[in-house]
């Protein structure tokens, strides 16, 4: 890429833009947004010097997506694809932006095109597998995620998503196996700042698997690890409320259920009613 930048006449500027962008992907999330702003400024400047360059358009599109502007990302990546319809990177970023906009079927079509004709990249199969899972297409998700795992067996995020797929099929032993492999394979990566989200995803999935296995103490411990990292994690608040409800810890269950609802992850209606009944019975019992 550096050679290409040199041929385009401004290697220092282009190199700095790309370096900023790549660094943003590996830093602590609390610093990432500032890096994306810097990358956007550099890439805007690059496109003034080299208008219509598909690589810069795609990178700028992804920076815009990371900054919360998925529609702008799609527009930029479509510009890149008009210049080079075979440019897999732009199509991949466009697929991610479509996912952000909730246009899942369109995103799946874009990601499938990348998987069919683009380079063999684990990230593509991770994203495609996740989209299949969200669409309820579990068998296709398993196929995509297994393929991604074959490309890069050391990536814990793929194994975590594989665990989710196996859990969705009720294959809890296989899900548990994938989580242990994810923890082992990612022990070094999970300790780095850029993998905080992966770490939270790992503990959340561990909690969901152990909850489904009926191992309530283990589930509670896993969800607590998520909440230690982010008290505003909606799913963790919701599911630890379910654990506490099953354990008879109704006051704790109520506190987390309230927080989960505020975050957009309410308890299912049957569990919410059961919790209210238990709290009412407890209150009535004290009054007596």
């Amino acid at each position: 890429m550096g050679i290409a930048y040199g041929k385009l006449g401004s290697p220092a500027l282009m190199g700095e833009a790309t370096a900023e962008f790549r660094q943003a992907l590996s830093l602590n999330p609390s610093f990432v947004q500032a890096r994306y702003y810097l990358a956007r400024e550099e890439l805007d400047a690059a496109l003034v010097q080299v208008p219509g360059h598909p690589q810069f358009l795609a990178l700028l599109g992804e920076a815009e997506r990371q900054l919360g502007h998925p529609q702008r990302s799609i527009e930029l990546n479509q510009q890149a694809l008009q210049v080079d319809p075979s440019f897999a990177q732009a199509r991949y970023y466009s697929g991610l932006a479509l996912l952000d906009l909730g246009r899942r079927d369109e995103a799946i079509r874009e990601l499938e095109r990348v998987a069919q004709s683009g380079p063999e990249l684990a990230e593509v199969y991770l994203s495609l597998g996740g989209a299949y899972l969200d669409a309820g297409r579990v068998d296709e998700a398993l196929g995509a995620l297994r393929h991604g795992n074959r490309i890069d067996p050391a990536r814990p995020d793929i194994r975590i998503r594989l665990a989710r797929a196996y859990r969705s099929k009720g294959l809890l032993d296989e899900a548990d196996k994938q989580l242990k492999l994810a923890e082992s394979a990612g022990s070094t990566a999970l300790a780095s700042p850029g993998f905080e989200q992966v770490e939270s995803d790992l503990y959340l999935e561990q909690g969901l698997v152990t909850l489904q296995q009926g191992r309530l103490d283990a589930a509670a411990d896993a969800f607590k690890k998520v909440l230690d990292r982010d008290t505003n994690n909606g799913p963790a608040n919701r599911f630890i409320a379910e654990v506490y409800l099953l354990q008879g810890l109704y006051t704790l269950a109520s506190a987390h259920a309230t927080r989960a609802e505020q975050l957009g992850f309410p308890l299912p209606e049957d569990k919410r009613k059961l919790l209210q009944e238990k709290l009412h019975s407890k209150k009535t019992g004290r009054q007596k």
Side-chain angles (χ1 to χ4, degrees):
M1 188 177 289
I3 294 173
Y5 291 154
K7 289 181 179 178
L8 290 168
S10 185
L13 182 60
M14 303 307 105
E16 186 175 350
T18 303
E20 291 284 1
F21 186 82
R22 294 188 185 282
Q23 188 176 5
L25 297 176
S26 62
L27 288 176
N28 187 305
S30 63
F31 301 111
V32 161
Q33 193 169 43
R35 291 290 179 176
Y36 280 120
Y37 275 113
L38 287 172
R40 183 170 65 179
E41 290 178 7
E42 299 289 355
L43 289 162
D44 277 332
L47 285 165
V48 170
Q49 297 190 33
V50 192
H53 190 276
Q55 178 78 45
F56 303 148
L57 285 167
L59 288 172
L60 180 57
E62 177 60 3
E64 290 285 3
R65 185 185 75 86
Q66 293 285 352
L67 290 169
H69 309 132
Q71 185 58 49
R72 177 60 178 156
S73 175
I74 290 172
E75 293 166 1
L76 288 163
N77 281 297
Q78 288 304 310
Q79 290 178 38
L81 289 167
Q82 287 173 6
V83 177
D84 181 0
S86 67
F87 189 27
Q89 184 178 12
R91 196 170 299 283
Y92 171 64
Y93 289 152
S94 184
L96 297 183
L98 287 165
L99 285 175
D100 288 352
L101 288 169
R103 294 159 60 181
R104 187 177 57 218
D105 291 343
E106 294 173 73
I108 286 174
R109 286 194 290 272
E110 289 288 77
L111 294 171
E112 285 176 338
R113 289 184 66 178
V114 177
Q116 290 162 5
S117 60
E120 288 273 281
L121 296 174
E123 289 86 352
V124 173
Y125 292 94
L126 173 67
S127 300
L128 181 57
Y132 281 145
L133 273 175
D134 291 339
R137 297 162 62 176
V138 180
D139 289 334
E140 289 168 285
L142 278 170
L145 293 167
R146 285 168 178 158
H147 192 85
N149 185 61
R150 285 194 293 272
I151 295 170
D152 189 352
R155 286 192 59 154
D157 48 359
I158 295 178
R159 291 194 181 276
I160 293 165
R161 205 157 287 182
L162 262 174
R164 178 186 163 198
Y166 284 123
R167 175 173 57 82
S168 298
K169 290 181 71 70
L171 301 173
L172 301 183
D173 289 343
E174 189 59 40
D176 193 47
K177 175 183 175 182
Q178 290 299 324
L179 291 173
K180 288 175 180 175
L181 288 168
E183 197 163 20
S184 175
S187 57
T188 301
L190 289 171
S192 65
F195 278 78
E196 286 185 358
Q197 185 59 54
V198 177
E199 188 178 46
S200 289
D201 290 344
L202 172 65
Y203 294 134
L204 181 64
E205 191 59 40
Q206 284 177 340
L208 292 169
V209 170
T210 50
L211 174 58
Q212 203 162 325
Q213 290 172 328
R215 297 162 54 199
L216 300 183
D217 289 342
D221 287 343
F223 294 136
K224 285 176 186 175
K225 288 178 181 178
V226 180
L227 294 171
D228 285 343
R229 288 153 179 79
D230 179 9
T231 57
N232 291 323
N233 186 294
N237 275 285
R238 177 205 151 165
F239 288 111
I240 201 169
E242 290 191 21
V243 172
Y244 286 144
L245 175 59
L246 290 168
Q247 291 178 322
L249 302 172
Y250 305 126
T251 302
L252 281 172
S254 179
H256 285 284
T258 299
R259 187 65 185 136
E261 186 164 1
Q262 292 170 345
L263 294 166
F265 294 87
L267 283 176
E269 186 63 18
D270 59 335
K271 291 183 173 63
R272 188 185 66 80
K273 287 183 177 179
L274 177 60
L275 178 56
Q276 288 177 339
E277 291 170 3
K278 295 295 185 181
L279 288 168
H280 179 72
S281 297
K282 184 178 179 181
K283 182 178 179 182
T284 303
R286 283 204 306 267
Q287 288 175 341
K288 291 179 181 179

